[in-house]
Amino acid sequence: MYSRDCFCDSIGYKAYRVDTISSTNTYFKENYEKYDDKSILIAKNQTSGRGRFNRVWESDDDICFSILYKKKNYNNIIIPLAITMVLNKLNISAGIKWPNDIYLNNKKLAGILIEDIYSSKFCASVVGIGINMTDKKEFDGIGLSKYTNLSKDQLIFMILEYIDKLSTVSIDILIDIYRHYNIIMNRKITYKNNTYLACDVTKDGYLVLRNSKDTITVTSDEITIHSQF
Ligand code: BTN
């Protein structure tokens, strides 16, 4: 077990800290039985941070943590919404690039990796959150530190509070708010070499794409936003 920190005990989360780890998501996936529901592991640095589609996630003094949930929830909707709503409350006009990237000024600010653990039935969900504090030139990422004076712990605390607030909201309303903050709605996008208009997000969080030939539903995939409308 890593060192315990009480900063979010008041809202029912148990925080643990580590300086360097391979990946906070991997750690919780391998050790979820030893930790309670709503445990969080915060790392200063990861040596093998993971992103979606097996990509590498670099974090160097950025915000980097995973949350362990032992109950099923609409995390694919709630987590990007919570981060985006916290930022907007701080007057930082971030939005969601479907399904769960957080963008600011057309650049990636944060990424989310949600990994569910099953062994015949649902056991746990590991929600990994990486938020850039500094710009990342390698992949055109933007950093948060120039937009806020809040500490990383203050930001994490606010995100956890918003996750819990949103967990009490019905899925229909969550999807409406998610659509509102989604930066790709009504924009031209490329999916599998074809151009579509992103026209809706379904109640399951799937993206509906339309062009003159087809209307298709995308469950979880990579899309490219056109810079021009
Ligand atoms: C993505 O945009 O592809 C998702 C990035 C998720 C990165 C976070 S950092 C904390 C947690 N641990 C990991 O190895 N990945 C997630």
Side-chain angles (χ1 to χ4, degrees), residues 46 50-51 96 105 148 196:
Q46 297 184 123
R50 295 183 296 110
I96 302 166
N105 300 340
T148 178
Y196 295 91

Side-chain angles (χ1 to χ4, degrees), residues 194 210-215:
N194 291 312
R210 185 175 301 147
N211 64 16
S212 54
K213 289 195 199 116
D214 276 323
T215 299

Side-chain angles (χ1 to χ4, degrees), residues 34 64 107:
K34 299 182 199 151
C64 170
K107 292 176 184 217

Side-chain angles (χ1 to χ4, degrees), residues 87-119:
L87 296 171
N88 279 270
K89 192 182 160 77
L90 301 172
N91 290 321
I92 302 166
S93 43
I96 302 166
K97 180 190 166 205
W98 180 91
N100 53 22
D101 284 341
I102 312 300
Y103 268 60
L104 177 63
N105 300 340
N106 286 316
K107 292 176 184 217
K108 183 154 168 172
L109 176 71
I112 299 163
L113 179 66
I114 300 172
E115 298 182 290
D116 287 343
I117 305 166
Y118 284 90
S119 121

